[in-house]
Amino acid sequence: MSMQQQIQEKISNAIACKHLNVINESHMHSKGTDSHFKVIVVSEEFLGKRLLQRHRQINEILKEEFLSDLHSVTLKAFSIQEYDEF
């Protein structure tokens, strides 16, 4: 399973996502390794949570990946209301 698929699966299993997009941006940063991603997550679970809390939640979900080959994840975490206004 690719790192992109792994990230997608782990987040979707841990958070009830209305929208989840995992974009591999490794080609802009490294050669030959899938190590840099942009993740856009939209979930009702984020309502009332600060941005830092949302990022910590996702980083905790991906902690095993960060211990292996994952180097960087750019996070965009929205509640459904925020995403509709975006």
Side-chain angles (χ1 to χ4, degrees):
M1 177 182 316
S2 73
M3 181 64 75
Q4 185 172 2
Q5 292 169 323
Q6 223 173 310
I7 292 168
Q8 179 99 20
E9 185 175 301
K10 286 193 91 170
I11 293 173
S12 65
N13 286 339
I15 298 174
C17 302
K18 179 176 180 181
H19 174 79
L20 174 60
N21 193 8
V22 179
I23 303 158
N24 189 339
E25 295 185 333
S26 300
H27 65 281
M28 298 186 303
H29 303 279
S30 62
K31 296 180 181 165
T33 60
D34 288 342
S35 58
H36 291 72
F37 294 87
K38 179 188 284 184
V39 176
I40 303 167
V41 184
V42 180
S43 176
E44 197 62 38
E45 290 182 34
F46 295 144
L47 188 61
K49 287 186 179 179
R50 292 182 172 197
L51 188 58
L52 183 60
Q53 292 171 306
R54 299 170 189 189
H55 285 208
R56 284 181 177 161
Q57 181 179 359
I58 295 168
N59 285 333
E60 180 64 24
I61 293 166
L62 300 175
K63 68 182 176 186
E64 290 178 22
E65 286 70 22
F66 278 114
L67 292 173
S68 61
D69 294 329
L70 184 59
H71 178 73
S72 175
V73 174
T74 301
L75 296 173
K76 301 287 185 188
F78 301 98
S79 69
I80 294 170
Q81 294 81 359
E82 292 167 337
Y83 188 71
D84 289 341
E85 294 171 7
F86 182 64

